[in-house]
């Protein structure tokens, strides 16, 4: 039913009209990068958003390389400007799901196939600690 781009837009919830106040948080929430549970860290949401391929291309096109600024407020201001820019088509990529992580953890017998998001996060952190990669 249409192109990959159309399918991606539908997965992202389609077009949206947002209030100017709180624009950054609204976009990050609607696209799945920020929430009140497991993804409540604004800096992490900004970094993940900026590193997703399509979003990174858009930000590079706009001259907004978020990896070159350290301060979370500067990153937020840079992304806010990019979101409001008329130089893009306003199409941004949604947050990745945890399907690959779940598959890996289930295959390692570290997670039940029906596990919740919280159980998946807990198992992922335990796996990273075992690998020596947890912070």
């Amino acid at each position: 039913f249409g192109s990959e781009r159309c399918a991606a837009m539908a997965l992202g919830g389609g077009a949206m009209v947002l209030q100017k106040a709180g624009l950054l948080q609204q976009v990050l929430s609607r696209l799945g990068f920020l929430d009140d549970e497991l993804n409540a860290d604004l800096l992490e949401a900004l970094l993940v958003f900026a590193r997703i391929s399509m979003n990174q291309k858009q930000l590079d096109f706009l001259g907004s390389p978020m990896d070159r600024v350290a301060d979370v407020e500067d990153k937020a201001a840079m992304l806010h400007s990019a979101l409001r820019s008329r130089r893009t088509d306003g199409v941004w990529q949604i947050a990745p799901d945890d399907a690959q992580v779940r598959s890996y953890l289930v295959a390692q017998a570290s997670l039940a196939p029906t596990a919740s998001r919280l159980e998946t996060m807990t198992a992922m952190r335990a796996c990273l600690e075992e690998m020596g990669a947890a912070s």
Side-chain angles (χ1 to χ4, degrees), residues 94-116:
I94 62 172
D97 63 23
D98 62 0
Q100 289 180 323
V101 171
R102 280 179 180 271
S103 294
Y104 174 80
L105 294 170
V106 168
Q108 298 298 312
S110 299
L111 186 69
T114 58
S116 69

Side-chain angles (χ1 to χ4, degrees), residues 14-84:
M16 55 181 123
V17 177
L18 302 169
Q19 298 295 321
K20 186 175 176 180
L23 172 72
L24 182 63
Q25 286 78 5
Q26 290 177 67
V27 169
L28 291 174
S29 293
R30 282 281 303 267
L31 296 179
F33 293 93
L34 190 66
D35 61 39
D36 294 331
E37 295 172 0
L38 300 176
N39 304 303
D41 185 324
L42 178 60
L43 177 58
E44 182 179 1
L46 290 166
L47 292 173
V48 174
F49 178 92
R51 289 184 180 146
I52 302 276
S53 63
M54 190 170 92
N55 297 346
Q56 187 171 15
K57 287 177 188 171
Q58 291 261 44
L59 293 168
D60 289 347
F61 171 76
L62 293 170
S64 302
M66 289 182 37
D67 58 342
R68 293 193 186 150
V69 293
D71 188 68
V72 67
E73 287 83 14
D74 291 341
K75 287 181 189 299
M78 189 175 283
L79 181 54
H80 186 269
S81 293
L83 293 171
R84 297 194 65 218

